[in-house]
Every structure is written in C-alpha cells, then in structure tokens.
Amino acid sequence: GIHASLFAVEWMQKNPDIDHIIKGEGEYTYCELINALDNNTSLEGINGLVYRKDGQVIENPDRPLIAPLSELPRASRDVIKKYHLRRALISTSRGCKRSCRFCCSPLYWRRGGKRQWRGLDMKDVAEEIQLIYNTYGISCFFIQDESFEDDIEDSYQRLFEIANLLIQQQNPYCLTVYTRCDFYQKSSPELMQLLKQAGLVRVFIGIESANCEDLKLYGKSDNFYHSEKSIQYFNVNEINTSIGFINFNPFSTMERLYENLNFLKRNKLLCNRFPMHSRLSIYKGTALYEQFMREGYLKGDLTDDLSPIFNNSIRGLADYLSYFISSKSADNYKLQFFLNDHIINIRLILKYANEM
C-alpha cells in the first residue's frame, strides 16, 4: 500500500516486529518473497522489497511497473462467498494523469521520473464483471480507478466501449466510479445515456475545496469553476454524487472555512459527515510536502502526524467537529440541525471548540 511504500524504512526502524515490507505493486514481489522464504534463499535480488539482514534495514531497488496489466491473472473472488459480500471492487486501470499537489498517487505509479497510466482492455473488464455476476450474483460494482475517464489518448473512448459492452450483457448492474470536476465538459448526452443504461448510479467527484486559496494550494485551481456545475450536471442526470473534500489544511482560516461550509450547504452536502471534518494529509515526496519542508513548516516525524494544522484555534475547531461528528449521540438529524443553526456564524462553533 501507499503508506508502506512511502515510509517503509522508517516503519522498519521504528517497529522491530516487522520483518518485510513490499513497496509498490506487490504481485511479483510477494511471490518471489514467499519462494525465497520457502527455499531459504537470498532476498537481495527481489525488487520492491525492504527487509532486515544482520540487524540492518535493507531497501532493494524499486520494481518496474507491470506492463501490460493483462499479464496478471484475475483476482480471486472467493471472499465474496466467504463473507457474503454484496458488492465487488473492480479496477480497469492503474495510475493517474493529473498532478494534485497533495496526492501521493503519482509517487506510487511513477517510474523514470514520469507519471505512468496503464489501462486494461475493456473487453476483459466486461468479461470479469459478467463472470462475477454469473458466479456470485453480484450486480453492484465499485470501479476503483483513480479517475474513470482517464485514457491514454485523453478521450472518452474507453467509457463508450465499456458502456456498450455492459449494455449488451443485459444484466441489472449498479456502478459507482471516481471522476473529476471537469467531466461534464467533455461528456455528451449520448455518453451519459449509455453510462446510465450500463448501470451508472453513483459518482465520487474530487472537488477538494470551495475557495480559491485552498484550491491553489492543492494544485486544483480549475475546480473553483467546475465544482458546482459538475454536481448540477450529475443531479440533472439523476446520478447520486459524493465528493472528495479537504476542509482543513495547515493554512485554513475562518473565512476559507466559511466559504467551504456555504458551498456544502448550498449543494445539500451537509448531511454527509466526512467533508465537514476532513483534513489534509501530508505525504512524503508530494509537492506540498516539499513546499512545507522548504518553508520550515514541517518538523518531527510524519509517520505519526500526517495532518498538521498550524493555527491552534483552527485545530480546536477541527478537533471539535471530529469529536462531535464521531459521537454516537450525533446522529444525522442532530448534525444537520447543528450545522444549519450555526452556518451563518461559524465563530460560534469556534467558541465551543475553545471551551473544550
């Protein structure tokens, strides 16, 4: 996973009980590690592995990215039956074609100093979805691509292809996908109709913030113009929306938070608890990490605190909202009442935070 990949050496040094950490794509590294342990052979030639030798932490070179992805076997789906799952996770690609300053995805998928995006053949994806449906009766699928519309040629051809293939199967699918704010600009009535026929019912939009200063910090300035239009676009097309949102960051001010809250209220998103108390996480190697280190804002061990907030009053507000929203007594109705009552004067919320 991403945390193990970014902090592999630090974790090994701090946790003597950890023997091995696999960085990056783990399919081949894991197999080679198991074979080496079974045969008691050296671990030195296993790319992507961090391990211990003679009391020292050894970090092997990174493993090249797997290409093409079609060389990998399909994931085992035994857990669906074992745990009586009602939804299956599907990946049609690996990598991301954007450069958000907070995001660690480019670090995970980058090789040779360049971002890498690789996609599966949509025929293979459609076949796997049908196989899962026929074998386990699963009709709900969460497509976990970084952004569903990504394509090697920056077109939406893959979306047309998968939509038509799933429609041909004539199964009652329900699809959830990740997408970007500017999706609506390149989409068309024809594409949206096909996606709905294929089973699209829910999108997760990476909005991140509703004020210009935060969006500039995140490297997503264009979102300021697209966010509301994107939500409206999917609402008009009767597609349920959830959003990625980072309400708190080290430079948050009351004015910025007020803009965020008004945006959430205006678009009827206050009933979703996550955007209210979500915080920016800082990952080693990202553009924001480099900026904060260069400007002297980050001190100490990031493996312990990934979400620094520099202003104590703002931190108090963030802590209060986290406490309130996570409280068992704070059901959705109480949360909605609380936010509607205090949205116009956020300083009142801060007053409560300072009294804790």
Side-chain angles (χ1 to χ4, degrees):
I2 187 63
H3 295 88
S5 295
L6 292 178
F7 300 108
V9 174
E10 292 91 336
W11 281 10
M12 294 283 283
Q13 291 171 341
K14 291 181 63 175
N15 299 277
D17 293 332
I18 300 177
D19 296 317
H20 311 92
I21 289 180
I22 293 174
K23 301 190 306 175
E25 292 180 314
E27 287 90 348
Y28 290 124
T29 304
Y30 184 79
C31 289
E32 291 176 15
L33 173 61
I34 295 300
N35 288 333
L37 294 176
D38 283 346
N39 296 295
N40 197 28
T41 56
S42 173
L43 305 181
E44 292 181 7
I46 302 178
N47 290 339
L49 181 67
V50 181
Y51 63 101
R52 299 184 190 279
K53 181 179 180 181
D54 300 327
Q56 300 295 315
V57 175
I58 307 298
E59 184 176 18
N60 287 347
D62 291 337
R63 178 174 293 276
L65 294 177
I66 299 169
L69 292 177
S70 58
E71 72 181 49
L72 292 172
R74 287 175 178 164
S76 172
R77 299 291 178 173
D78 296 347
V79 293
I80 293 177
K81 183 176 181 180
K82 181 177 180 180
Y83 296 105
H84 308 288
L85 301 181
R86 301 175 64 182
R87 182 179 67 171
L89 306 181
I90 289 286
S91 174
T92 83
S93 68
R94 292 183 179 181
C96 181
K97 304 188 74 173
R98 297 292 176 89
S99 301
C100 301
R101 301 184 72 238
F102 58 83
C103 186
C104 50
S105 174
L107 303 175
Y108 195 79
W109 304 115
R110 178 180 293 158
R111 291 296 183 273
K114 297 181 180 180
R115 296 193 308 275
Q116 301 287 336
W117 180 91
R118 296 151 295 151
L120 285 167
D121 188 318
M122 283 304 198
K123 292 181 180 179
D124 292 336
V125 175
E127 287 177 6
E128 183 175 14
I129 289 175
Q130 186 169 39
L131 178 64
I132 294 171
Y133 177 82
N134 290 338
T135 305
Y136 301 102
I138 296 292
S139 59
C140 295
F141 294 87
F142 188 175
I143 299 179
Q144 293 192 295
D145 300 4
E146 302 276 355
S147 199
F148 188 45
E149 68 266 38
D150 273 350
D151 196 339
I152 196 68
E153 298 178 352
D154 290 323
S155 70
Y156 285 179
Q157 185 56 41
R158 293 180 85 242
L159 300 188
F160 278 102
E161 185 177 2
I162 189 63
N164 282 311
L165 288 169
L166 295 181
I167 290 170
Q168 291 171 15
Q169 294 176 9
Q170 298 184 337
N171 294 324
Y173 297 131
C174 295
L175 308 177
T176 298
V177 304
Y178 291 108
T179 189
R180 299 192 182 95
C181 282
D182 58 0
F183 173 86
Y184 73 96
Q185 285 193 309
K186 292 184 180 180
S187 184
S188 65
E190 178 191 4
L191 175 59
M192 181 52 63
Q193 185 61 33
L194 287 174
L195 290 173
K196 290 174 64 176
Q197 284 183 253
L200 181 65
V201 295
R202 186 182 186 89
V203 295
F204 186 95
I205 312 171
I207 287 175
E208 315 311 350
S209 181
N211 69 81
C212 290
E213 293 84 0
D214 285 353
L215 288 171
K216 183 177 180 180
L217 179 70
Y218 303 155
K220 305 195 74 165
S221 296
D222 288 348
N223 278 21
F224 186 77
Y225 306 101
H226 297 310
S227 296
E228 217 141 358
K229 292 180 180 179
S230 182
I231 293 173
Q232 292 168 2
Y233 176 78
F234 286 111
N235 285 344
V236 167
N237 284 283
E238 299 180 319
I239 303 296
N240 189 273
T241 59
S242 297
I243 64 170
F245 207 75
I246 307 171
N247 200 28
F248 291 94
N249 66 64
F251 300 110
S252 290
T253 65
M254 297 305 297
E255 290 72 24
R256 296 184 189 184
L257 294 172
Y258 183 78
E259 288 186 63
N260 286 348
L261 291 172
N262 268 321
F263 170 85
L264 294 173
K265 181 181 181 182
R266 193 165 59 247
N267 290 280
K268 300 179 180 180
L269 295 167
L270 284 177
C271 57
N272 186 335
R273 302 181 181 192
F274 172 75
M276 284 298 307
H277 67 92
S278 59
R279 307 186 188 194
L280 173 68
S281 293
I282 309 296
Y283 294 97
K284 183 176 70 173
T286 61
L288 279 184
Y289 172 86
E290 299 298 339
Q291 175 188 336
F292 291 167
M293 287 294 291
R294 187 170 58 250
E295 297 174 357
Y297 288 118
L298 291 181
K299 298 179 181 179
D301 189 352
L302 262 185
T303 61
D304 294 326
D305 185 5
L306 296 174
S307 307
I309 297 178
F310 303 144
N311 183 301
N312 287 334
S313 296
I314 298 297
R315 177 179 286 277
L317 172 58
D319 291 343
Y320 176 74
L321 284 175
S322 295
Y323 167 79
F324 182 86
I325 292 172
S326 63
S327 171
K328 292 182 180 180
S329 63
D331 57 38
N332 279 324
Y333 294 105
K334 293 179 182 178
L335 176 62
Q336 184 71 47
F337 174 80
F338 177 86
L339 295 173
N340 284 337
D341 191 37
H342 296 88
I343 186 68
I344 303 303
N345 189 1
I346 193 174
R347 286 175 175 79
L348 190 56
I349 307 179
L350 181 61
K351 174 179 179 292
Y352 295 146
N354 287 332
E355 291 176 353
M356 288 188 64

